[in-house]
Amino acid sequence: MDDHTTHDVRTTDHDHATDHDYLAGRHAPEGSPAHRLHLWIARLHDVLTLFYEQFMYEGWEHEYTAGSLPELEAAMLDFCSHDDGRDDGNALYVEAVAAYLGETLLEEAGGRWDWDPTAGTDGLPVVRPDPALALPPVVPLLVVGQALREKSGQVLATAVRLLRAAVRDRQREHPAWWPRRVRTPWVNTGAIISSCHAAERWRNQRMVDYLHWWAEEAGGREHWLFAPASLDALQVLLRKHFRTVEDYDRVADERFWIMAAWYVGHYVVEKKDALWQYREVDPDAPPGTPHAADSHWTGSAFVSQRLRLDGHAAHPWAMLREAVAGKDLHEIVDRFPDPRPHGEYAEAPPWPEALWPQARPEHLATPALPPLAEAELAALTAADDLAGPDWCDNHRLHTWLAERRAAFPAWADAAGGGAAAWDFSPESLDRLEDLVRGRFATYEEAAAARNDPFLVGAAWYFGEVQVRECGALWRCRPQPPEDPDDTYDVPMVQAPEPAPDENEDWEDDEDDGDDDEDYVHICDPTGELRALLLRGPENHLRAALEHYA
């Protein structure tokens, strides 16, 4: 937005931590709240990636929005209603839901993650909303526990509605204020970026094809059927070829020994219910943190029992290296706990026992959310449909439009002819075009004057002609961007979405992959005025109206 809009009244920077405060905890004393918070933050990406890739169904939109929470709670109640006693799926699922809830609360009410040593059994991660809201911290894991106990399907939505109500109350007093949050490192808002593509290559059919070649080279396929005896054969093979780990290191990236590493990794996958994983190196990650280039777990595929809390993880090449150094390969493999036996599905307990070290059932006896009378809950629900901010109906937009309307008479006088001459007709755009071309010699000159009162008023006028002539709608980002110099943070106009054709037979409509019918025209008036200076005199502003035909 330009300098003539209402100022962005936000909480001042000194009231907020930064993501560097999360990272600083890795140097704090082990077991301290700061260190435990760092460990939680470092795990969040993996927890949420596990949730997205292993637990949620196809079509789940992992966007940390308030509107997703009722769907999430219903999925959780269904997932946790049965337990076969075989793994820690329910506990991992519950923990991931708590992480997702926490990130969603931060998106809605700002603030940061913190560690409360008094919560739960021995301390729990909490969400502290933006300090301007003066709200107590929320303990996501206990809120999820309340949802599991009550089984109402409304607890997660109520948690976010309470925070959204507080935000609305503050915005009534400070209309331009928006909550600010500390970004969680490695957690991508709006999406989970899967890091398993490399791992996919390690478990695909091509590797199985390579296995046939490697097995023949290593003494015959009959010796390499993922039986326990094959570990002995692999150990003999390693010690036959290498006297020292340095000898192994020199050839570890040759195809034969890559396949040997794949074999022991896949043995663990087959026998220990592990999964292939891969973490991409993030060049922006600080040294010593997850996803940094110096992390043990980045840059090469490894196997992990990520679906159990007591699971083990290892790089296959490192397992072979240990065997060369003299460690028994069976002992190395047995660091991965054996799979639990399958049991009969039974009704799951209301709170997984695996989570007792974090929160025991007695910690759930007191609701994590403030008690609400039935009428209060109904009023809270009726006041908030959990929809996201509307780009065409929000305070920033309404404030800007009101300012522009109030400034129009003065702008019209300065432009020449007064309000009577600027009648929002298509023909008036020719005069506007001449003014812009006459006032600015180059695109760069116009770009530097983006906050000039004339250019701001001209952009509003150009957009308003499209509104009045073509039924366009004004739109702008409801919340100020993090970058105050974002050149795309300007009001724009869009074509009205076409009404559905009631006579069209959707069932017979074949999907031909053509998305033209979903296209909605958007015009950036400020950008179009600048673009005039890049285009020839045969290009005119009035042509913008043709896009609405």
Side-chain angles (χ1 to χ4, degrees):
M1 305 289 280
D2 60 84
D3 286 346
H4 301 278
T5 64
T6 300
H7 294 293
D8 175 16
V9 181
R10 300 194 191 183
T11 309
T12 56
D13 288 338
H14 70 267
D15 289 329
H16 282 273
T18 68
D19 58 0
H20 297 295
D21 294 299
Y22 289 146
L23 303 179
R26 72 183 188 272
H27 302 302
E30 186 172 352
S32 66
H35 184 256
R36 296 182 71 183
L37 174 64
H38 165 69
L39 295 179
W40 167 251
I41 295 297
R43 287 185 59 227
L44 270 181
H45 182 271
D46 282 345
V47 167
L48 290 165
T49 304
L50 171 69
F51 179 68
Y52 178 70
E53 294 179 345
Q54 300 292 332
F55 289 137
M56 291 308 286
Y57 45 84
E58 185 177 355
W60 163 253
E61 296 184 1
H62 197 99
E63 295 184 336
Y64 307 111
T65 59
S68 68
L69 294 182
E71 181 182 358
L72 176 62
E73 186 166 351
M76 177 184 68
L77 293 176
D78 179 63
F79 185 94
C80 295
S81 62
H82 293 87
D83 188 353
D84 68 352
R86 180 173 174 264
D87 56 35
D88 297 318
N90 285 4
L92 290 167
Y93 192 102
V94 167
E95 190 176 44
V97 170
Y100 184 94
L101 172 64
E103 284 295 310
T104 303
L105 298 181
L106 290 171
E107 283 295 297
E108 295 291 342
R112 58 163 294 174
W113 285 102
D114 203 353
W115 191 269
D116 183 353
T118 67
T121 304
D122 188 32
L124 287 173
V126 300
V127 166
R128 293 192 183 277
D130 188 305
L133 296 172
L135 293 173
V138 179
V139 189
L141 189 64
L142 298 185
V143 174
V144 172
Q146 181 178 342
L148 287 170
R149 287 174 66 93
E150 293 185 5
K151 295 183 173 59
S152 66
Q154 302 182 59
V155 174
L156 304 190
T158 298
V160 76
R161 281 188 171 111
L162 288 168
L163 295 190
R164 284 161 63 100
V167 170
R168 291 195 302 272
D169 288 345
R170 177 167 174 79
Q171 287 178 329
R172 290 188 186 98
E173 299 180 11
H174 307 278
W177 175 86
W178 278 88
R180 296 178 61 193
R181 65 161 292 180
V182 177
R183 293 293 167 192
T184 306
W186 314 294
V187 174
N188 299 281
T189 300
I192 279 289
I193 306 303
S194 172
S195 59
C196 290
H197 300 306
E200 180 65 35
R201 293 196 295 270
W202 273 66
R203 62 175 175 253
N204 66 17
Q205 184 61 41
R206 178 174 294 182
M207 299 305 290
V208 176
D209 292 340
Y210 286 155
L211 172 62
H212 295 300
W213 162 80
W214 175 81
E216 291 303 321
E217 293 286 318
R221 183 70 173 90
E222 67 274 11
H223 299 298
W224 306 102
L225 301 174
F226 300 103
S230 66
L231 295 183
D232 299 315
L234 183 54
Q235 186 160 289
V236 169
L237 187 68
L238 289 165
R239 292 177 182 175
K240 175 183 175 182
H241 284 80
F242 308 114
R243 295 182 60 189
T244 67
V245 292
E246 289 76 18
D247 293 336
Y248 170 75
D249 290 342
R250 280 191 285 271
V251 298
D253 59 353
E254 293 181 1
R255 187 168 67 158
F256 182 88
W257 297 109
I258 289 174
M259 281 307 304
W262 178 87
Y263 183 87
V264 72
H266 208 69
Y267 181 97
V268 172
V269 170
E270 293 284 335
K271 302 296 184 182
K272 302 287 187 173
D273 276 358
L275 297 169
W276 285 106
Q277 278 193 264
Y278 179 85
R279 285 185 186 170
E280 195 108 21
V281 175
D282 180 354
D284 297 325
T289 64
H291 306 282
D294 63 351
S295 170
H296 176 70
W297 299 108
T298 56
S300 67
F302 59 97
V303 285
S304 169
Q305 291 173 312
R306 66 191 309 217
L307 297 180
R308 56 188 297 170
L309 294 174
D310 63 348
H312 184 60
H315 288 283
W317 59 263
M319 298 169 68
L320 297 189
R321 198 173 188 274
E322 266 196 278
V324 171
K327 192 73 175 178
D328 184 81
L329 192 53
H330 284 279
E331 293 181 15
I332 296 171
V333 168
D334 283 341
R335 292 171 184 163
F336 292 84
D338 288 331
R340 298 189 178 100
H342 288 271
E344 294 293 330
Y345 276 94
E347 185 176 350
W351 187 248
E353 186 174 341
L355 290 178
W356 286 11
Q358 299 180 57
R360 293 185 61 85
E362 53 264 32
H363 296 120
L364 309 176
T366 301
L369 300 179
L372 297 175
E374 186 175 341
E376 292 176 309
L377 179 59
L380 183 69
T381 302
D384 186 354
D385 63 0
L386 301 181
D390 190 334
W391 282 54
C392 294
D393 183 11
N394 61 76
H395 173 79
R396 289 187 81 212
L397 177 62
H398 295 324
T399 300
W400 186 83
L401 291 174
E403 291 174 348
R404 300 275 52 83
R405 294 186 190 104
F408 173 64
W411 178 89
D413 288 340
W422 295 95
D423 59 357
F424 302 99
S425 65
E427 293 74 19
S428 67
L429 293 182
D430 297 335
R431 295 185 60 215
L432 182 64
E433 180 181 327
D434 292 340
L435 282 176
V436 172
R437 290 187 186 274
R439 192 179 187 96
F440 303 104
T442 65
Y443 176 93
E444 290 73 19
E445 186 180 341
R450 61 177 295 210
N451 294 326
D452 176 77
F454 166 77
L455 198 58
V456 174
W460 171 80
Y461 184 87
F462 179 35
E464 194 67 15
V465 171
Q466 297 175 61
V467 169
R468 301 187 187 198
E469 286 292 320
C470 307
L473 303 172
W474 280 106
R475 55 174 280 148
C476 83
R477 190 197 313 258
Q479 187 171 353
E482 293 183 0
D483 179 7
D485 298 321
D486 185 347
T487 57
Y488 294 101
D489 182 43
V490 292
M492 302 184 186
V493 289
Q494 71 173 50
E497 295 188 11
D501 186 352
E502 297 180 356
N503 298 320
E504 185 171 356
D505 188 352
W506 292 102
E507 293 183 359
D508 295 336
D509 184 33
E510 294 292 333
D511 181 9
D512 58 3
D514 187 357
D515 294 331
D516 287 349
E517 293 184 0
D518 297 329
Y519 171 76
V520 174
H521 172 67
I522 296 177
C523 172
D524 171 7
T526 304
E528 286 295 310
L529 294 179
R530 291 197 301 264
L532 279 175
L533 305 169
L534 298 176
R535 299 167 180 162
E538 70 280 3
N539 292 276
H540 303 290
L541 286 182
R542 198 191 300 196
L545 306 182
E546 298 173 4
H547 291 286
Y548 298 88

